[in-house]
Amino acid sequence: MMWNGEMSSLVDELKRGGWSCVIGNAGKMTTYSKRGVADLYRILVSEPELLLNSYIADKVVGKGAAALMVLGKVSRLHTHIISIPALVLLRNAGIHVDYDIKVEYIINREGNGRCPVETLCDGTDNPEEMLRLIGGFLSSVRS
């Protein structure tokens, strides 16, 4: 288990390195740079032990990313921007969340509408269902 000083190290690294996500687990810090939920999805599917009881510093967390963190059994999150649906999902799962800005929803990359993954997850509060939806979405954008 990490302590607050280590959480602030993750947040500092997130800002300093320009990463999208920094994960701390068992005294080890790992950085990620892909946008959206791609890194979290890959980690949950291929290296779930990295998320178990981890601390995460992330730039933006919407409902899809929150579902992946819930499924990965993350312990604590600090994010710059979080959507209300994501915050509710995380808090209901007992994950400690600190954030700078809370918004109604996450805006897409073009800045002209809602994030497609958050929109995709609107119809359910079941993290396993969201995982399936996110997997389908990521497959469609990769092909």
Side-chain angles (χ1 to χ4, degrees), residues 2-74:
M2 293 188 151
W3 46 276
N4 287 340
E6 290 183 73
M7 186 67 192
S8 48
S9 305
L10 299 178
V11 174
D12 290 346
E13 180 60 30
L14 180 75
K15 293 174 184 170
R16 184 176 45 251
W19 307 108
S20 58
C21 179
V22 179
I23 299 176
N25 197 335
K28 181 179 167 201
M29 184 184 303
T30 314
T31 56
Y32 300 91
S33 57
K34 288 188 179 158
R35 298 176 73 175
V37 297
D39 283 324
L40 276 175
Y41 180 84
R42 184 198 57 74
I43 295 163
L44 181 63
V45 170
S46 63
E47 303 177 81
E49 66 282 355
L50 187 57
L51 294 176
L52 183 62
N53 299 319
S54 66
Y55 278 27
I56 296 182
D58 203 315
K59 283 185 178 176
V60 178
V61 175
K63 192 174 181 183
L68 299 175
M69 291 179 198
V70 167
L71 291 170
K73 297 180 174 49
V74 168

Side-chain angles (χ1 to χ4, degrees), residues 59 61 79-84 98-103 106:
K59 283 185 178 176
V61 175
T79 184
H80 181 57
I81 299 171
I82 192 165
S83 71
I84 292 170
D98 295 309
Y99 58 87
D100 299 322
I101 301 167
K102 178 172 61 173
V103 296
I106 302 303

